[in-house]
Amino acid sequence: MGVPCIRDRVVQATLKLILEPLLDPTFSDNSYGFRPGRNQRQAVESAQRIVQSGKEYVVDIDLSKFFDRVQHDRLIERLSRFIPDKRILRIIGMILRSGVMKEGLVSPTTEGTVQGSPLSPLLSNVVLDELDKELERRGLEFCRFADDCNIFVKSQRAAERVMRSISKFIENKLKLVVNWEKSKVALSKCVKFLGMTIIAGAIAISAQSINRAMDKVKELTPRGTHLPLEQTIKRINNWYMGWSGYYRMTQYPSQLAKIEAHIRRRLRSRLVDQQKKRRHLFEKLVKRGVACQLAAKTVFSNRGRWALSHTRAMEAAYPNRWFIVEKGVKVRSTEKHPHWFDILQWVKVT
């Protein structure tokens, strides 16, 4: 990642505004990254349509350090086909070769484009458009978002053949490097694309993304923290509103419900931990309407805070609706998931 100075950002943003209307119409319809009017959801839905058509095998090619390995001469030559003004090409060449300052030392850049600059996304599409055109020439169906490209075929044998030939094209013609450890041929249900996967023709959140979300919830609700519960809830909202806003494209709402249930259990565990003594927790549960016998049986046991957070007594004292309503504030909803978890910002803390 790199951060250009203000003057460079102005120049690069201006070039992007000038060049994008000229270059974007020439790009493939199967390219969705860093283009106006296109987004990740469209890319995933396009992949879903291809899988539903019967092409369930995916050639998942991962490019190793793509932005660091772009060949400047090949990029300028490709730009010259659409930009007749040599002055523009010269400025772009100067930007590519301007070098990088790290800890006060300037290092020359002989290849690659700096991630974080306004012009790099457009230049990356120029480089990979050559790959798109080759895939279209071969009649292959694919979806590409930046350097994340999935090719769809009908059989394992065809997928392996495409993997060999396209990898050879990438390394020999585009002068890029294929990461063989991450590249693979597999059924769509085993391949992650933009954090999603296609299972039985439906869009689902990938297992890796679910696991990372679980780890993030654990990070945001640590044990033994000095932060008040209200601040913890605010941190969860800031993360979950953005996370669920992207992953709500899933067609398995139970995946979001799983994350929300995990958040509620972590908060219930925190509420258990706030009561320093067992009798205090017992009194709290009884005060919140739990029967004395059930509260005593739950509290005065050998179970720890995590086990107690998933008991009938705790869930009766702090039901799901406790996390929803605060003095009549209405819960916002989305089109597909009416229980979107931004409700936590109105959690009732007693």
Side-chain angles (χ1 to χ4, degrees), residues 8-116:
D8 287 352
R9 285 203 298 271
V10 170
V11 172
Q12 292 184 37
T14 303
L15 286 173
K16 181 177 181 293
L17 291 173
I18 294 173
L19 299 179
E20 193 169 58
L22 299 175
L23 298 174
D24 189 78
T26 68
F27 294 154
S28 169
D29 290 337
N30 299 302
S31 169
Y32 295 89
F34 311 126
R35 298 183 61 186
R38 290 172 173 254
N39 53 44
Q40 292 95 327
R41 180 165 191 157
Q42 293 173 341
V44 174
E45 289 176 346
S46 177
Q48 179 190 23
R49 288 192 294 270
I50 297 174
V51 171
Q52 289 175 341
S53 70
K55 298 185 176 181
E56 297 183 344
Y57 286 88
V58 181
V59 180
D60 184 14
I61 299 178
D62 184 84
L63 300 180
S64 177
K65 298 181 180 179
F66 163 70
F67 284 91
D68 297 336
R69 291 195 165 103
V70 171
Q71 298 294 313
H72 293 170
D73 293 338
R74 295 195 80 260
L75 174 57
I76 294 297
E77 187 277 329
R78 191 158 184 86
L79 286 171
S80 66
R81 303 179 187 182
F82 308 97
I83 305 171
D85 194 330
K86 302 297 182 183
R87 295 172 297 178
I88 298 295
L89 297 176
R90 181 173 177 272
I91 293 175
I92 295 175
M94 292 172 62
I95 292 172
L96 293 172
R97 300 180 177 90
S98 61
V100 177
M101 178 178 287
K102 184 178 181 181
E103 297 179 356
L105 300 176
V106 178
S107 302
T109 50
T110 57
E111 62 179 6
T113 62
V114 178
Q115 293 188 63

Side-chain angles (χ1 to χ4, degrees), residues 109-125:
T109 50
T110 57
E111 62 179 6
T113 62
V114 178
Q115 293 188 63
S117 70
L119 194 58
S120 287
L122 180 61
L123 297 180
S124 68
N125 275 331

Side-chain angles (χ1 to χ4, degrees), residues 217-235:
V217 172
K218 185 176 181 179
E219 176 188 333
L220 293 173
T221 55
R223 292 188 176 188
T225 179
H226 66 282
L227 295 175
L229 186 59
E230 295 88 344
Q231 190 168 347
T232 299
I233 290 168
K234 183 178 179 181
R235 293 172 63 190

Side-chain angles (χ1 to χ4, degrees), residues 95-162:
I95 292 172
L96 293 172
R97 300 180 177 90
S98 61
V100 177
M101 178 178 287
K102 184 178 181 181
E103 297 179 356
L105 300 176
V106 178
S107 302
T109 50
T110 57
E111 62 179 6
T113 62
V114 178
Q115 293 188 63
S117 70
L119 194 58
S120 287
L122 180 61
L123 297 180
S124 68
N125 275 331
V126 172
V127 173
L128 292 175
D129 184 62
E130 193 169 354
L131 172 62
D132 297 343
K133 295 298 192 291
E134 177 65 17
L135 294 174
E136 290 177 346
R137 186 185 68 81
R138 299 186 185 192
L140 296 171
E141 292 194 81
F142 67 97
C143 293
R144 183 178 67 80
F145 191 96
D147 59 335
D148 195 352
C149 181
N150 281 355
I151 307 168
F152 301 86
V153 293
K154 290 185 177 182
S155 67
Q156 176 84 16
R157 185 176 178 181
E160 292 173 353
R161 183 176 65 252
V162 169

Side-chain angles (χ1 to χ4, degrees), residues 206-250:
S206 68
Q208 299 95 316
S209 298
I210 289 288
N211 292 335
R212 282 198 298 268
M214 290 291 195
D215 292 339
K216 186 65 176 181
V217 172
K218 185 176 181 179
E219 176 188 333
L220 293 173
T221 55
R223 292 188 176 188
T225 179
H226 66 282
L227 295 175
L229 186 59
E230 295 88 344
Q231 190 168 347
T232 299
I233 290 168
K234 183 178 179 181
R235 293 172 63 190
I236 292 173
N237 279 320
N238 290 338
W239 166 75
Y240 191 76
M241 289 176 68
W243 188 89
S244 62
Y246 175 79
Y247 285 103
R248 65 177 177 172
M249 73 175 79
T250 178

